[in-house]
Coordinates of all heavy atoms in Angstrom, one line a residue:
N335 N 7.5 15.7 25.4 CA 7.2 16.6 26.6 C 5.9 17.4 26.4 O 5.9 18.6 26.6 CB 8.4 17.5 26.9 CG 9.6 16.7 27.2 OD1 9.5 15.7 27.8 ND2 10.7 17.2 26.8
I336 N 4.9 16.8 25.9 CA 3.6 17.5 25.6 C 2.6 17.0 26.6 O 2.4 15.8 26.8 CB 3.1 17.2 24.2 CG1 4.2 17.4 23.2 CG2 1.8 18.0 23.9 CD1 4.1 18.7 22.5
V337 N 2.0 17.9 27.3 CA 0.9 17.6 28.3 C -0.3 18.3 27.9 O -0.3 19.5 27.6 CB 1.3 18.0 29.7 CG1 0.2 17.6 30.7 CG2 2.7 17.4 30.1
R338 N -1.5 17.6 27.8 CA -2.7 18.2 27.4 C -3.2 19.2 28.5 O -3.1 18.9 29.7 CB -3.8 17.1 27.2 CG -3.8 16.6 25.8 CD -5.1 15.7 25.6 NE -5.0 14.9 24.4 CZ -5.3 15.3 23.2 NH1 -5.8 16.5 23.0 NH2 -5.2 14.5 22.1
V339 N -3.8 20.3 28.1 CA -4.4 21.3 29.0 C -5.9 21.0 29.0 O -6.5 20.7 28.0 CB -4.1 22.7 28.5 CG1 -4.9 23.7 29.3 CG2 -2.7 23.0 28.5
E340 N -6.5 20.9 30.2 CA -7.9 20.7 30.4 C -8.6 22.0 30.2 O -8.3 23.0 30.9 CB -8.2 20.1 31.8 CG -7.9 18.6 31.9 CD -8.6 17.7 30.9 OE1 -9.8 18.0 30.6 OE2 -7.9 16.8 30.4
H341 N -9.7 22.1 29.4 CA -10.5 23.3 29.3 C -11.4 23.4 30.5 O -11.9 22.4 31.0 CB -11.4 23.2 28.0 CG -10.6 23.4 26.8 ND1 -10.6 24.6 26.1 CD2 -9.8 22.6 26.1 CE1 -9.9 24.4 25.0 NE2 -9.4 23.2 25.0
A342 N -11.7 24.7 30.9 CA -12.7 24.9 32.0 C -14.1 24.9 31.4 O -15.0 24.6 32.1 CB -12.4 26.3 32.7
V343 N -14.2 25.1 30.1 CA -15.5 25.0 29.4 C -15.5 23.7 28.6 O -14.8 23.6 27.6 CB -15.7 26.2 28.4 CG1 -17.1 26.1 27.8 CG2 -15.5 27.6 29.2
S344 N -16.3 22.8 29.0 CA -16.3 21.5 28.4 C -17.1 21.5 27.1 O -18.0 22.4 26.9 CB -16.8 20.4 29.3 OG -18.2 20.7 29.6
T345 N -16.9 20.5 26.3 CA -17.7 20.3 25.1 C -19.2 20.1 25.5 O -20.1 20.6 24.8 CB -17.2 19.1 24.3 OG1 -15.8 19.3 24.0 CG2 -17.9 19.0 22.9
E346 N -19.4 19.5 26.6 CA -20.7 19.2 27.1 C -21.5 20.5 27.4 O -22.6 20.7 27.0 CB -20.6 18.3 28.3 CG -21.9 18.0 29.1 CD -22.8 17.1 28.2 OE1 -22.3 16.3 27.5 OE2 -24.0 17.4 28.2
L347 N -20.7 21.4 28.1 CA -21.3 22.7 28.4 C -21.7 23.5 27.2 O -22.7 24.2 27.1 CB -20.3 23.6 29.3 CG -20.3 23.4 30.8 CD1 -19.2 24.2 31.4 CD2 -21.7 23.9 31.3
R348 N -20.8 23.5 26.2 CA -21.0 24.2 25.0 C -22.3 23.6 24.3 O -23.1 24.4 23.8 CB -19.8 24.0 24.0 CG -18.5 24.7 24.5 CD -17.3 24.3 23.6 NE -16.1 24.5 24.3 CZ -15.4 25.7 24.3 NH1 -15.8 26.7 23.6 NH2 -14.3 25.8 25.0
A349 N -22.4 22.3 24.3 CA -23.6 21.7 23.7 C -24.8 22.2 24.3 O -25.8 22.5 23.7 CB -23.4 20.1 23.8
R350 N -24.8 22.2 25.7 CA -26.0 22.7 26.4 C -26.4 24.1 26.0 O -27.5 24.4 25.8 CB -25.8 22.5 27.9 CG -26.8 21.4 28.4 CD -26.7 21.3 29.9 NE -25.6 20.4 30.3 CZ -25.0 20.4 31.4 NH1 -25.3 21.3 32.3 NH2 -24.0 19.5 31.7
R351 N -25.4 25.0 25.9 CA -25.7 26.4 25.5 C -26.2 26.4 24.1 O -27.2 27.2 23.8 CB -24.5 27.3 25.7 CG -24.8 28.6 25.1 CD -23.8 29.7 25.2 NE -23.5 30.0 26.6 CZ -22.5 30.8 26.9 NH1 -21.8 31.4 26.0 NH2 -22.2 31.0 28.2
N352 N -25.6 25.7 23.2 CA -26.0 25.7 21.8 C -27.3 25.0 21.5 O -27.9 25.3 20.5 CB -24.9 25.0 20.9 CG -23.6 25.8 20.8 OD1 -23.7 27.1 21.1 ND2 -22.5 25.2 20.5
G353 N -27.7 24.1 22.4 CA -28.9 23.4 22.2 C -28.8 22.2 21.3 O -29.7 21.6 20.8
H354 N -27.5 21.9 21.0 CA -27.3 20.7 20.1 C -25.9 20.2 20.4 O -25.0 20.9 20.8 CB -27.4 21.1 18.6 CG -26.4 22.1 18.1 ND1 -25.2 21.8 17.8 CD2 -26.6 23.4 17.9 CE1 -24.5 22.9 17.4 NE2 -25.3 23.9 17.4
R355 N -25.8 18.9 20.1 CA -24.5 18.3 20.2 C -23.6 18.8 19.1 O -24.1 19.3 18.1 CB -24.6 16.8 20.1 CG -25.2 16.1 21.3 CD -25.1 14.6 21.2 NE -26.0 14.0 22.2 CZ -27.3 13.8 22.0 NH1 -27.8 13.9 20.8 NH2 -28.0 13.3 23.0
S356 N -22.3 18.6 19.2 CA -21.4 18.9 18.1 C -20.9 17.6 17.5 O -21.1 16.5 18.1 CB -20.2 19.7 18.7 OG -19.5 19.0 19.6
G357 N -20.2 17.7 16.4 CA -19.7 16.5 15.8 C -19.2 16.7 14.4 O -19.2 17.9 13.9
V358 N -18.8 15.7 13.7 CA -18.2 15.7 12.4 C -19.1 14.9 11.5 O -19.3 13.7 11.7 CB -16.7 15.2 12.4 CG1 -16.2 15.3 11.0 CG2 -15.9 16.0 13.4
L359 N -19.6 15.5 10.4 CA -20.3 14.8 9.4 C -19.3 14.7 8.2 O -19.1 15.7 7.5 CB -21.6 15.5 9.0 CG -22.5 15.4 10.2 CD1 -23.0 16.8 10.6 CD2 -23.7 14.5 9.8
W360 N -18.8 13.6 8.0 CA -17.7 13.4 7.1 C -18.3 12.9 5.7 O -18.6 11.7 5.6 CB -16.7 12.4 7.6 CG -15.4 12.4 6.8 CD1 -15.2 11.6 5.7 CD2 -14.2 13.1 7.0 NE1 -14.0 11.9 5.2 CE2 -13.3 12.8 6.0 CE3 -13.8 14.0 8.0 CZ2 -12.0 13.3 5.9 CZ3 -12.5 14.5 7.9 CH2 -11.6 14.2 6.9
M361 N -18.3 13.7 4.7 CA -18.9 13.3 3.4 C -17.7 12.8 2.6 O -16.7 13.4 2.4 CB -19.5 14.4 2.7 CG -20.5 15.1 3.5 SD -21.8 15.7 2.5 CE -22.6 16.7 3.7
T362 N -17.9 11.6 2.1 CA -16.9 11.0 1.2 C -17.6 10.5 -0.1 O -18.8 10.1 0.0 CB -16.2 9.8 1.8 OG1 -15.4 9.2 0.9 CG2 -17.1 8.8 2.4
G363 N -16.9 10.6 -1.2 CA -17.5 10.2 -2.5 C -16.7 10.7 -3.6 O -15.8 11.5 -3.4
L364 N -17.0 10.2 -4.8 CA -16.2 10.6 -6.0 C -16.4 12.1 -6.3 O -17.3 12.7 -5.8 CB -16.7 9.8 -7.2 CG -16.5 8.3 -7.3 CD1 -17.2 7.7 -8.5 CD2 -15.0 8.0 -7.3
S365 N -15.4 12.6 -7.0 CA -15.5 14.0 -7.4 C -16.8 14.1 -8.3 O -17.1 13.3 -9.1 CB -14.3 14.4 -8.3 OG -14.5 15.7 -8.8
G366 N -17.6 15.1 -8.0 CA -18.9 15.3 -8.7 C -20.0 14.6 -8.1 O -21.1 14.6 -8.7
S367 N -19.8 13.8 -7.0 CA -20.9 13.1 -6.4 C -21.9 14.0 -5.7 O -23.1 13.7 -5.6 CB -20.4 12.0 -5.5 OG -19.7 12.6 -4.4
G368 N -21.4 15.2 -5.3 CA -22.4 16.1 -4.7 C -22.0 16.6 -3.3 O -22.8 17.3 -2.6
K369 N -20.8 16.3 -2.9 CA -20.4 16.6 -1.5 C -20.5 18.1 -1.2 O -21.1 18.6 -0.2 CB -19.0 16.1 -1.2 CG -18.8 14.6 -1.4 CD -17.4 14.2 -1.2 CE -16.4 14.8 -2.2 NZ -16.6 14.4 -3.6
S370 N -19.9 18.9 -2.1 CA -19.8 20.4 -1.9 C -21.2 21.0 -2.0 O -21.7 21.7 -1.1 CB -19.0 21.1 -2.9 OG -17.7 20.6 -2.9
T371 N -22.0 20.6 -3.0 CA -23.3 21.1 -3.2 C -24.2 20.9 -2.0 O -24.9 21.8 -1.5 CB -24.0 20.5 -4.5 OG1 -23.1 20.6 -5.6 CG2 -25.3 21.1 -4.8
I372 N -24.2 19.6 -1.5 CA -25.0 19.3 -0.4 C -24.5 20.0 0.9 O -25.3 20.6 1.6 CB -25.0 17.7 -0.2 CG1 -25.7 17.0 -1.3 CG2 -25.7 17.4 1.2 CD1 -25.5 15.5 -1.3

Side-chain angles (χ1 to χ4, degrees):
N335 300 324
I336 310 262
V337 182
R338 270 189 197 274
V339 172
E340 285 301 323
H341 287 258
V343 183
S344 67
T345 304
E346 179 64 39
L347 268 176
R348 292 170 203 272
R350 248 182 273 154
R351 171 173 303 174
N352 290 336
H354 63 80
R355 288 186 192 90
S356 61
V358 179
L359 291 126
W360 190 278
M361 304 212 194
T362 172
L364 294 174
S365 177
S367 60
K369 303 177 296 298
S370 299
T371 307
I372 293 172

